[in-house]
Amino acid sequence: MTIKRQKYLDKLISRKGNGLIKVVTGSRRCGKSFLLFTLFKKHLLSKKIPADHIIEAALDDEEHEELLDRHALGEYVRGKIKDDNMYYVLLDEIQEVDGFERVLNGFLKMPNVDVYVTGSNSTLLSSEISSIFKDRGDEIRMHPLSFSEFMSVYEGSKSEGWDEYFMYGGLPLVLSYKNVEDKEDYLIRLFEKTYLSDIIERRKIRSKDELDELVNILASSIGSLTNPTKLENTFKSEKKIEFSRQTINTYIGYLKDAYILSDARRYDIKGKKYINTPVKYYFEDTGLRNARLNFRQTEETHIMENIIYNELKIRGCKVDVGLVEKYGKDKNLKTTKSIYEVDFIANRGSKKYYIQSALSLSSSEKENQEKRSLLEIKDSFKKIIIIKDDIKPRRDENGIVTIGLWNFLLDENSLEL
């Protein structure tokens, strides 16, 4: 079973020889190593690049432990360069090397070296890449499998595939396990032993219990508006734990830096401004989220919303939560204000999409409820409702498009339908 990851491979190929350091970022186990060492290396070999002109090292592997010293890494790479032809340097988990930016920036001075690296934590955040590499870094952000990628290798119907995907997520290795117990054990162990252990070790966190509780609360409330103050109050009232909002905010930052969580800020559509708090948090992979809760809280409505959010991010959209304020008068002619929420505002280039996620439109009342906020938006950008029903896109007299979930997820051009 080979998953092509064509979107990411195409990005690497298009950047080949551009004089920049190509940095593949994303969560652990999302497929970065496979992309670099299998798919991209195979591409290079297919273009007649000699194998000895491809220099590779997995820096989280004991085999290359001596290369964690930046001087040793530099000598290792330079020692393999024997002529003036182009060499391709592939380095996995570069953040394991202390001071890696110095050795990589040194490679940039060599005209016949093309560098590709991967990284899994905040050492290689998008916001830092340009400064770390002095504007010579080029990021390729990688995600776990999209539903479309998952279904390209899944042997079963769309309905069966959806049941698997929303429960166990899109980490590629999950597909290799054939029974439920193995899938669950892998995801539970991965979250605990890899993701959280990495944060605790790197950030020198003394109280693991507080981090555990915070992750549990966030996992239980995906798609709900919250902020550190609300979470602090939850710890006090429900957990009987004193946990300051400042520490909560710091820990959430750690989870975001490790590509476990992403957030969506609120945006006032009519006022055209961001509202600083509260925000919504979503998990990078729903399988990891479900594993954190021992696969007990698997409400399809919330998980579907999380998956739609992830799909929009995979497609390169910047995603916010929208709100629309409507003013009116009551029977006493006093001014009233109603606030309607739009699940997502997705921006991609000059295009904008207002999107509602609804498990079903089971009644006219439910349909009107989902459309109400969209009808209050007076601009001409596309308005979409995604429902789980397997239907073809349909457009009403107000221009609102209703589309089936699988149609949306499996057609990469579905936002344009």
Side-chain angles (χ1 to χ4, degrees):
M1 178 183 66
T2 300
I3 305 170
K4 294 181 179 179
R5 312 310 304 266
Q6 195 64 46
K7 176 199 296 281
Y8 306 107
L9 178 59
D10 288 344
K11 288 181 178 180
L12 279 182
I13 293 170
S14 70
R15 290 159 165 79
K16 191 166 64 174
N18 66 359
L20 305 177
I21 295 172
K22 275 65 69 174
V23 186
V24 183
T25 61
S27 63
R28 290 190 180 273
R29 306 297 187 268
C30 75
K32 301 185 303 299
S33 304
F34 179 74
L35 172 67
L36 205 59
F37 291 157
T38 301
L39 299 179
F40 187 60
K41 182 179 178 181
K42 182 179 178 181
H43 164 76
L44 293 176
L45 293 172
S46 74
K47 297 300 180 182
K48 310 302 181 185
I49 304 298
D52 62 359
H53 281 56
I54 302 172
I55 305 168
E56 57 186 296
L59 297 167
D60 60 348
D61 192 317
E62 285 187 7
E63 179 186 352
H64 295 116
E65 187 174 2
E66 73 281 359
L67 300 182
L68 299 185
D69 176 88
R70 71 172 187 270
H71 301 292
L73 178 60
E75 290 175 7
Y76 172 78
V77 171
R78 289 182 175 88
K80 289 183 174 291
I81 298 173
K82 306 297 185 184
D83 55 47
D84 293 332
N85 294 324
M86 184 63 72
Y87 284 77
Y88 297 86
V89 177
L90 317 181
L91 303 173
D92 192 31
E93 301 296 357
I94 189 64
Q95 79 280 346
E96 299 291 339
V97 178
D98 187 28
F100 65 85
E101 64 275 13
R102 296 182 66 179
V103 67
L104 294 185
N105 283 325
F107 293 156
L108 285 174
K109 299 174 183 177
M110 303 170 68
N112 64 329
V113 172
D114 198 16
V115 182
Y116 303 77
V117 302
T118 77
S120 298
N121 62 39
S122 60
T123 312
L124 288 170
L125 284 178
S126 302
S127 59
E128 301 296 330
I129 285 174
S130 61
S131 59
I132 287 174
F133 298 119
K134 302 176 182 178
D135 296 320
R136 299 287 298 277
D138 190 358
E139 184 188 22
I140 294 94
R141 173 75 161 88
M142 196 171 192
H143 299 267
L145 300 176
S146 67
F147 184 60
S148 177
E149 288 175 315
F150 177 90
M151 288 303 298
S152 71
V153 295
Y154 179 76
E155 297 177 357
S157 67
K158 289 183 291 187
S159 177
E160 292 167 335
W162 169 255
D163 289 343
E164 283 277 321
Y165 185 75
F166 98 82
M167 183 64 73
Y168 303 114
L171 294 179
L173 192 57
V174 173
L175 280 161
S176 67
Y177 294 106
K178 299 305 179 185
N179 63 67
V180 168
E181 292 80 8
D182 289 341
K183 293 176 191 288
E184 293 183 353
D185 287 347
Y186 168 70
L187 288 167
I188 291 170
R189 188 173 63 253
L190 181 65
F191 203 118
E192 182 71 22
K193 301 300 183 184
T194 300
Y195 284 84
L196 289 187
S197 293
D198 185 58
I199 292 173
I200 291 165
E201 180 182 343
R202 290 180 181 279
R203 302 297 187 173
K204 297 179 172 55
I205 293 174
R206 296 179 180 178
S207 177
K208 178 179 180 294
D209 291 344
E210 291 177 342
L211 179 62
D212 279 337
E213 287 292 348
L214 177 60
V215 172
N216 291 339
I217 291 171
L218 291 170
S220 296
S221 57
I222 53 171
S224 299
L225 289 167
T226 191
N227 59 31
T229 300
K230 282 187 175 184
L231 291 166
E232 179 184 37
N233 293 334
T234 299
F235 272 95
K236 286 181 181 177
S237 61
E238 297 182 14
K239 307 296 181 181
K240 310 305 179 186
I241 297 173
E242 292 291 332
F243 195 13
S244 74
R245 72 195 72 175
Q246 292 83 5
T247 305
I248 289 171
N249 190 53
T250 298
Y251 281 16
I252 288 175
Y254 295 162
L255 294 166
K256 289 166 60 179
D257 290 353
Y259 303 104
I260 295 172
L261 289 182
S262 294
D263 60 20
R265 297 168 58 196
R266 296 177 90 196
Y267 184 78
D268 180 349
I269 295 170
K270 288 186 176 180
K272 297 183 178 180
K273 60 184 179 182
Y274 281 102
I275 300 171
N276 288 331
T277 185
V279 301
K280 287 187 176 184
Y281 293 102
Y282 296 98
F283 273 68
E284 175 83 356
D285 181 76
T286 56
L288 287 171
R289 178 265 177 193
N290 294 337
R292 187 62 199 174
L293 300 173
N294 289 314
F295 300 92
R296 285 197 293 265
Q297 299 178 35
T298 54
E299 303 88 350
E300 195 168 13
T301 302
H302 301 305
I303 295 174
M304 173 177 158
E305 183 179 323
N306 198 143
I307 289 171
I308 290 171
Y309 171 85
N310 288 345
E311 179 67 25
L312 293 169
K313 298 288 282 188
I314 289 169
R315 295 187 189 186
C317 296
K318 294 178 174 61
V319 186
D320 301 311
V321 176
L323 67 85
V324 185
E325 295 180 345
K326 181 180 180 181
Y327 293 89
K329 298 287 185 181
D330 64 15
K331 62 182 179 180
N332 298 316
L333 299 181
K334 289 186 176 180
T335 299
T336 61
K337 182 174 77 170
S338 300
I339 297 178
Y340 302 112
E341 185 176 293
V342 178
D343 287 332
F344 301 119
I345 308 171
N347 293 278
R348 187 170 61 186
S350 62
K351 295 182 178 181
K352 182 183 295 184
Y353 310 88
Y354 300 108
I355 299 170
Q356 297 284 60
S357 169
L359 199 59
S360 68
L361 299 180
S362 54
S363 65
S364 57
E365 180 181 355
K366 175 64 174 174
E367 185 169 0
N368 290 336
Q369 176 187 332
E370 294 296 337
K371 290 183 176 181
R372 187 177 298 130
S373 58
L374 299 178
L375 291 171
E376 291 298 324
I377 303 170
K378 302 308 179 184
D379 63 39
S380 59
F381 292 110
K382 183 168 287 187
K383 302 167 180 69
I384 301 169
I385 301 175
I386 302 171
I387 62 175
K388 193 191 170 188
D389 296 346
D390 190 12
I391 63 167
K392 293 181 178 179
R394 62 182 185 226
R395 190 185 307 269
D396 70 9
E397 66 276 10
N398 295 302
I400 296 174
V401 175
T402 302
I403 185 172
L405 175 64
W406 299 328
N407 197 317
F408 169 74
L409 293 174
L410 294 173
D411 184 350
E412 65 179 15
N413 296 312
S414 56
L415 289 172
E416 308 304 329
L417 295 177

